[in-house]
Amino acid sequence: MKSADEVVTPAGYQPPGSHTLTLRGRASTTALQQMRPYGLAVLSVAIALVLSLFADSQIHANVELAFFLMAIAVTVWFGNSRAGVLAIVLSSLAFNFFFTEPRFSLYIERADQAYFICFVLFALLIGWFGAKRRQVEVNLRRAHEELEVQVAVRTEQASLLDLTHDTIFVRDMGDTIRFWNRGAEELYGWTAAEAIGKPAHQLLQTIFAVPHDEIRAELLRTGRWDGELEKATADGTRVVVASRWSLQRDARGEPTAILETNNDITERKRAEERIQALNADLERRSIELEATNKELEAFAYSTSHDLRAPLRHLQGYTELLQKAAAPMLDEKNRRYVAMILESARMMGNLIDDLLTFSRIGRAEAQRTLINLDQLVGDARKEVERETAGRDIAWKIGALPSMYGDRSMLRIVFVNLMANAAKFTGTRPQAQIEIGRMDGKPGEFVVFVKDNGVGFDMRYVNKLFGVFQRLHRAELFEGTGIGLATVQRIVARHGGRVWAEGEVDHGATFYFSAPKA
């Protein structure tokens, strides 16, 4: 337990008035420090006076002038210029009072006035010289301290720059390297000791994409420059760097140094060159492929067109033979003639489809805003003429409008709807549904669905190929070109085509198109 006389003082507690006392103490200390030079002046003059009086009484040598001048010099050197002025005044008064005639009086006889004036002038000269010398010393000390601070700051900055793995070096306006960090050593292979003092462009064997004079002019004008340079490492390897230059100026605005940072982009440039080479090769192949496709389309068109004339002759003369020789032919021969006519008809359809397919690839699309509801209605009428007498339940939903070539899109719907009607031929009642659904952003999807024989999804990739068929020709007639034509038209309109189906459970064909 604490006694009654003990006082517990909280940490940081100050008694009332202690803050005022502290301020007064600090003010007193400051005042004493300011008074110290003047006390030195009084003390120095007093000592000079005592020594002069002692020398005058004992030695009888005229050394009082030297003592007083020494007192002034000491005051100016260790005090300040204002204390030196006080020392000059006190020394002049003491010298006049004790050592000029008449003594112990401030009056100066005419004979001693020149002597006294010389003393005062010499004292002033000593004081001025001492003050200047002290000011020079103060300036030198201040400059030395500032230099030490700058050296410390620059050393710290250099240490920070050396920590990064980025390539950084500094060169003067004569291109001589003055600083070389660790990143530069890692990239180029030269140590700081090997690089500093060497001409940068000569050491690195720099290759400029533009004349160096232009780069230097831009640097002096704007204070910075960036671009790609090719340089060499210590082992002779060439590297491409993204280089940035920053100009340093002194207080007068004169350029003094250039800080350069480099990032190795060699692999990126090589990759770009490979990509450019691949693009050039791809463009060449695309041109060749386009030329080949045009040649094939021209060949198919020409061939199909040229086949029409002999086919018409074959079909015409066969019909004439059938009419003229029918009474003389037996059932077997009449069947032969019918097969020739049917084959000629199928060949004609195939030629017509080939001509349509090749014409779509070469024809220029005439794009207008098309009402698909109306277009589907027209296509349905055309299909119904070919399926007269069949029981087909049509279900057609609301369809959007789209920009496209009306004649081409009509072929799309006729082919898809005729395809659905064909493959529902074995059903007592065919069901064909046409509608729309949402697709990817910015597009819609139209579908044609039927309840026909369907197809095996394993062969879905064959559906849109030319002359590709998934069913036997004797069961379902066709040329195998219709769906390929649909795909080509939809692709020219910026869409895509796909299908889903199941054997004996119908099929659904889809195509997408951009929204109007």
Side-chain angles (χ1 to χ4, degrees), residues 76-358:
V76 172
W77 188 266
F78 293 102
N80 53 43
S81 58
R82 286 173 293 182
V85 172
L86 177 61
I88 292 172
V89 172
L90 293 176
S91 298
S92 300
L93 293 174
F95 184 75
N96 182 25
F97 189 81
F98 289 101
F99 301 105
T100 58
E101 297 296 338
R103 293 195 177 194
F104 310 113
S105 170
L106 295 177
Y107 178 75
I108 305 174
E109 293 183 351
R110 183 177 298 277
D112 291 331
Q113 286 181 358
Y115 181 61
F116 180 75
I117 291 173
C118 289
F119 168 76
V120 173
L121 292 176
F122 199 67
L124 290 172
L125 181 62
I126 291 294
W128 176 81
F129 178 76
K132 286 296 181 182
R133 180 68 181 270
R134 178 176 177 81
Q135 185 62 39
V136 169
E137 182 184 4
V138 170
N139 291 339
L140 287 174
R141 186 182 301 112
R142 185 179 297 120
H144 181 70
E145 291 174 353
E146 291 177 355
L147 181 60
E148 287 182 345
V149 171
Q150 290 183 0
V151 169
V153 171
R154 296 292 176 86
T155 302
E156 183 179 1
Q157 291 175 347
S159 299
L160 292 175
L161 290 177
D162 205 38
L163 289 177
T164 180
H165 290 279
D166 293 338
T167 302
I168 302 174
F169 61 91
V170 178
R171 47 195 171 88
D172 59 23
M173 300 309 294
D175 194 41
T176 302
I177 298 173
R178 298 304 182 192
F179 173 76
W180 187 265
N181 81 331
R182 185 175 63 178
E185 179 178 340
E186 292 175 352
L187 176 59
Y188 294 116
W190 284 286
T191 63
E194 294 171 335
I196 293 176
K198 303 288 180 58
H201 299 322
Q202 181 178 344
L203 178 69
L204 301 175
Q205 302 177 28
T206 307
I207 297 178
F208 298 93
V210 296
H212 180 247
D213 292 340
E214 294 182 10
I215 296 176
R216 189 178 181 88
E218 180 180 348
L219 179 67
L220 293 174
R221 186 178 66 256
T222 64
R224 60 179 301 168
W225 177 85
D226 58 85
E228 294 180 1
L229 301 174
E230 185 177 336
K231 298 177 181 287
T233 62
D235 61 4
T237 304
R238 305 298 300 184
V239 294
V240 180
V241 296
S243 183
R244 289 188 175 183
W245 298 5
S246 298
L247 185 65
Q248 183 185 30
R249 298 181 183 272
D250 58 17
R252 296 175 299 174
E254 296 295 327
T256 57
I258 301 170
L259 184 144
E260 181 174 343
T261 61
N262 295 160
N263 291 324
D264 187 4
I265 58 171
T266 306
E267 289 302 320
R268 190 184 77 187
K269 294 297 292 183
R270 290 174 181 169
E272 289 176 357
E273 291 174 357
R274 288 194 293 268
I275 291 173
Q276 290 176 357
L278 289 174
N279 286 338
D281 184 61
L282 181 60
E283 184 177 1
R284 178 182 59 80
R285 293 181 179 229
S286 298
I287 293 173
E288 293 177 354
L289 182 60
E290 184 178 359
T292 302
N293 286 337
K294 289 182 177 179
E295 290 176 359
L296 288 174
E297 290 176 357
F299 173 76
Y301 182 81
S302 176
T303 303
S304 302
H305 186 272
D306 293 342
L307 286 176
R308 293 174 68 88
L311 184 62
R312 281 197 299 269
H313 288 103
L314 175 63
Q315 189 173 7
Y317 283 115
T318 303
E319 290 176 352
L320 291 175
L321 177 62
Q322 185 182 40
K323 292 178 181 179
M328 297 179 292
L329 298 176
D330 57 15
E331 184 64 26
K332 184 176 181 181
N333 290 324
R334 283 195 296 270
R335 186 165 57 87
Y336 290 159
V337 173
M339 290 179 63
I340 294 173
L341 289 174
E342 179 62 20
S343 297
R345 186 186 64 80
M346 292 180 59
M347 185 66 178
N349 293 337
L350 180 59
I351 291 173
D352 290 340
D353 289 345
L354 278 174
L355 286 172
T356 302
F357 184 76
S358 61

Side-chain angles (χ1 to χ4, degrees), residues 12-32:
Y13 171 78
Q14 292 182 345
S18 61
H19 184 65
T20 304
L21 292 174
T22 301
L23 292 177
R24 289 177 180 174
R26 291 177 180 173
S28 300
T29 302
T30 304
L32 288 174

Side-chain angles (χ1 to χ4, degrees), residues 380-395:
R380 174 182 172 182
K381 292 178 181 178
E382 183 174 342
V383 173
E384 284 180 336
R385 286 197 296 267
E386 300 294 330
T387 59
R390 286 187 51 191
D391 185 8
I392 300 178
W394 295 91
K395 182 180 179 182

